[in-house]
Structure formats: C-alpha cells, structure tokens
Amino acid sequence: INAEYGNTNRKPVKMVRISVLNDALRMISTAEKRGKRQIMVRPSSRVIIKFLQVMMKHGYIGEFEVIDDHRNGKIVVELIGRLNKCGVISPRFDVSLNQIESWTNALLPSRQFGYLILTTSYGIMDHEEARRKHTGGKLLGFCY
C-alpha cells in the first residue's frame, strides 16, 4: 500500500513565516469580513504594534492589548466593523515626499478615505502625517 502513495516515513514540512506583519493584517482583515468582534494575533512585533496604533488612531479598529507570554507575545484586537481592507506592500518601496501622491492614487480607492502607512526616520506613521513632517520613507502597507 505504501508503494502506491510514495514514502510515508517523511516528516511533515513546517511552514516558514515570511512576513509577520502580513500574516497579522490578513488575519485581521478576514476576521473583520466574517464579522468577528475580536481576534488574537500572534506572534507580536513592534512593527505590528505601531501599525495597529495608526489604524486605531484613525478609527479602523478598537483598542488592542499586548499579552506578553514570555515567548513571541500575542495581541488581542477589538474589531469595530469599520475596516474594509488592509494589507502589506512587499517589497517595502522607497517613497519620497513628491511620490506619496502617486502611491495614494495607485493603492487607495479614493482621496477622501484610506491611509498609506510608511516607516520613516520619525517612526511609523500615515502618509498625511509624513507629508506634514515633510519626510519620505519606506512603504509598509495600507488600510481603508
């Protein structure tokens, strides 16, 4: 029977996490689509926490709590049903101040709502704050 299905003595292949931020945002986005009230994201990272702080500042998610379990950490995010889509831009493209407008046109559905999230030398912020601080940076992702 084993000859029919090949070698069954192999160990199962372990998946490798490429982007922790991408996994977290995808989990939040799908939970929001399914109408969940809260979601637990793991592992935690400083980039995810800063990204979620920007989303919370603009009212896309409710509060979130970081749980330190002495491993990788967990984040419990309260969902409020305002998020349509969020995602990561990979690779992290360099965006100068005069390119921000063209990136917003390419990635966001309209001028009125949605934010690009950049990592700059002043920290992680949305594209409007980066424009106010007169700085460019690397493009992390978007949410609307």
Side-chain angles (χ1 to χ4, degrees):
I1 295 172
N2 285 350
E4 219 173 305
Y5 297 108
N7 186 2
T8 57
N9 298 339
R10 262 192 248 135
K11 290 180 183 168
V13 178
K14 190 174 188 305
M15 291 297 289
V16 180
R17 278 237 161 89
I18 304 297
S19 170
V20 178
L21 179 64
N22 194 11
D23 291 350
L25 293 183
R26 184 158 297 135
M27 286 166 71
I28 291 168
S29 197
T30 53
E32 186 81 75
K33 283 177 191 156
R34 294 182 63 193
K36 300 269 193 251
R37 302 306 305 152
Q38 64 175 202
I39 182 168
M40 186 166 68
V41 177
R42 53 169 287 273
S44 163
S45 81
R46 283 171 37 205
V47 175
I48 294 174
I49 291 167
K50 294 288 186 191
F51 201 102
L52 292 177
Q53 282 173 345
V54 173
M55 286 171 67
M56 187 172 76
K57 185 176 89 176
H58 294 296
Y60 288 108
I61 59 172
E63 293 186 347
F64 64 92
E65 182 184 359
V66 180
I67 301 164
D68 182 28
D69 58 357
H70 300 293
R71 290 186 189 87
N72 287 333
K74 298 182 178 101
I75 306 171
V76 177
V77 182
E78 300 289 329
L79 302 175
I80 54 175
R82 278 208 52 214
L83 186 67
N84 292 320
K85 192 172 186 184
C86 63
V88 168
I89 305 301
S90 181
R92 294 180 177 176
F93 291 107
D94 287 323
V95 179
S96 64
L97 188 65
N98 53 8
Q99 292 176 321
I100 290 177
E101 187 66 36
S102 60
W103 279 101
T104 53
N105 292 343
L107 293 170
L108 300 177
S110 90
R111 282 171 180 265
Q112 281 80 26
F113 70 104
Y115 295 94
L116 296 182
I117 295 167
L118 304 152
T119 174
T120 68
S121 52
Y122 299 107
I124 294 176
M125 61 185 75
D126 61 78
H127 70 278
E128 290 177 355
E129 189 181 344
R131 200 178 273 145
R132 279 195 302 272
K133 289 190 175 175
H134 208 75
T135 182
K138 290 191 181 296
L139 189 56
L140 276 181
F142 61 90
C143 63
Y144 55 83

